[in-house]
Amino acid sequence: MAILVTGAAGFIGMSVSHALLARGEEVVGIDNLNDYYDPTLKQARLATLESKPGFTFRKMDIADTAAILSLKDAGFEIDRIVHLAAQAGVRYSLENPHAYVQANVAGHLNLMELARAIPGLKHMVYASSSSVYGGNKKIPFSVDDPVDTPISIYAATKRADELMAHSYAHLYGIPLTGLRFFTVYGPWGRPDMAAWIFTKKMLKGMPIPVFNKGDMKRDFTFVDDIVAGVCAVLDGPASPGADGTAPHRIYNIGNNRSEPLMRMIRILEQALGVEAIIDFQPMQPGDVRETYADIDAIASDFGYRPTTPIDEGIPKFVEWYRSYHA
C-alpha cells in the first residue's frame, strides 16, 4: 500500500516524504512545480527523493479535478493521504487571492473527493495554519479558541479547509486530521520566509525588513519537529465518537514557545558572523503581532514534544543555506 503526499517538492512535503520512505513506506508524490518561488529549488528537493526506492512522482495540479480523481485508478493502491500542497504566503494573498481559492479551496475539495473515492481509505492528514487564529488576542493559541476572525485571504481559505473536512468526515465517515502549522523553518526552507530572506540580505550587506518596528513574536518550529508530528498523527486516525461525532480532529503543531523576532535575528547574526542592518517598517496588512502554539492536545494524544529550539535550528538552516548556495 502507498501514501499519497501532495506538495512533495515543497519544503514540508519533501521532508515528510523522506521520513516515510525511511520507515519503509511506498510514497506517491505529486506537485505542480509552479513558479510562486524559484522552481529550481523545488526540482532540487525532488531530486533528493527520486533517487530513493519506493518513491514515485507525478507532476500534477491539485486544482485539476480530473487528474486528481484519476489517481484512484492509477494502480498505486493508496490507503493514506498527507495533503500538504497549497498556495502559501499571507502577503501574496493580498495580490492574488484567486490563486488561494483555486489551490486551497478547490484543490482541498479535490483531495477529499479522492479520499471519498478510495474504498477503505485509512486516514487523510491535511495542512492548516496558525493563521486561522487571525485577530485572536488570547495567547497561547488553543484549538479550543474561536477562529472566526481571519485577517487574510490565506487564513480564510485554510479555515474553509477545516470546515469542509469536518463535513466530509461527517457525511462519509472519512478519518481526517488537520494540523495547524506554526512558522516552519529549517534546511530546504521556502525563500519567502524570514529565515531565508534575512540570511540572503545579510550576506549581501543589504538591510532586512523588520515589520511592526521589531515588536513581533513567532512560534518558530523546526522542520524535523513538524515531520515527527505529521508522521505520528498519520498513524493514529480519528474514530467516530460514541455520540456520533465525525472522525475529524484539529491539532496545533508548533514549538510551544513564542520567540521575539529580534532574538531570532541576533541568533542569525551569530550563525552568519554578520551584523544585520535593520530596516524597521510598520505592520503589514494581514499580519499578526504574535503566534504561540498550545500543543497540549497533540502532546496528550500522540506524545508530541518538539526538541529543537531556535538556538539550534537557525544555525542548522544557515549551514544548509551556505552549502546549497556554495
Side-chain angles (χ1 to χ4, degrees):
M1 306 305 285
I3 301 171
L4 174 67
V5 177
T6 73
F11 171 34
I12 301 174
M14 179 208 73
S15 302
V16 168
S17 296
H18 273 297
L20 294 173
L21 292 166
R23 70 183 204 181
E25 304 280 8
E26 297 287 322
V27 174
V28 178
I30 64 172
D31 200 296
N32 68 355
L33 302 173
N34 69 17
D35 61 356
Y36 169 62
Y37 57 81
D38 186 3
T40 303
L41 175 61
K42 299 179 183 182
Q43 293 283 3
R45 293 190 191 118
L46 190 57
T48 71
L49 291 168
E50 291 185 313
S51 62
K52 302 287 185 179
F55 182 77
T56 304
F57 179 72
R58 294 288 184 272
K59 185 178 180 181
M60 192 175 293
D61 191 332
I62 60 170
D64 184 337
T65 303
I68 293 300
L69 293 181
S70 73
L71 289 169
K72 71 180 186 297
D73 301 317
F76 294 124
E77 297 187 358
I78 294 165
D79 69 345
R80 287 155 291 169
I81 298 172
V82 180
H83 174 36
L84 302 171
Q87 177 58 60
V90 169
R91 295 184 186 106
Y92 184 60
S93 70
L94 303 177
E95 302 171 23
N96 191 0
H98 292 89
Y100 289 76
V101 174
Q102 182 179 18
N104 299 359
V105 179
H108 185 69
L109 177 64
N110 286 340
L111 264 295
M112 290 192 299
E113 278 291 285
L114 174 63
R116 183 162 77 96
I118 296 174
L121 186 90
K122 293 179 181 178
H123 196 191
M124 175 172 149
V125 176
Y126 65 93
S128 186
S129 168
S130 63
S131 295
V132 301
Y133 290 106
N136 285 16
K137 302 300 182 185
K138 174 181 158 291
I139 295 292
F141 298 152
S142 166
V143 290
D144 297 320
D145 293 341
V147 284
D148 54 1
T149 57
I151 58 174
S152 70
I153 292 298
Y154 170 68
T157 61
K158 284 300 186 178
R159 180 55 181 153
D161 289 349
E162 296 177 349
L163 295 173
M164 290 193 297
H166 183 86
S167 68
Y168 265 66
H170 170 76
L171 290 168
Y172 308 115
I174 305 168
L176 289 152
T177 302
L179 298 176
R180 293 172 177 169
F181 295 152
F182 281 69
T183 315
V184 189
Y185 74 99
W188 294 102
R190 293 202 336 250
D192 63 329
M193 298 294 284
W196 185 300
I197 293 170
F198 292 173
T199 297
K200 180 179 179 179
K201 288 182 177 294
M202 288 168 66
L203 288 174
K204 291 183 176 181
M206 299 170 62
I208 62 172
V210 177
F211 299 110
N212 202 35
K213 299 181 180 179
D215 184 19
M216 304 280 279
K217 299 178 76 175
R218 287 292 181 269
D219 194 326
F220 294 103
T221 314
F222 193 65
V223 64
D224 290 359
D225 291 327
I226 290 288
V227 170
V230 171
C231 291
V233 169
L234 180 64
D235 295 338
S239 300
D243 59 354
T245 53
H248 176 240
R249 299 170 303 188
I250 295 174
Y251 294 104
N252 287 335
I253 181 166
N255 202 36
N256 195 218
R257 63 179 74 186
S258 191
E259 299 279 9
L261 179 60
M262 296 306 297
R263 179 170 128 74
M264 177 268 205
I265 292 171
R266 300 307 172 217
I267 295 171
L268 195 54
E269 287 178 324
Q270 294 172 7
L272 290 169
V274 174
E275 184 175 349
I277 304 169
I278 307 294
D279 176 17
F280 286 120
Q281 298 188 12
M283 180 71 89
Q284 295 293 287
D287 214 345
V288 297
R289 176 183 172 274
E290 181 175 4
T291 65
Y292 183 177
D294 178 336
I295 60 170
D296 286 352
I298 193 172
S300 174
D301 289 355
F302 295 98
Y304 173 74
R305 290 288 186 274
T307 61
T308 312
I310 60 173
D311 309 77
E312 298 175 14
I314 291 296
K316 288 180 180 180
F317 168 75
V318 168
E319 181 182 8
W320 169 83
Y321 185 93
R322 290 186 185 277
S323 174
Y324 179 75
H325 290 90

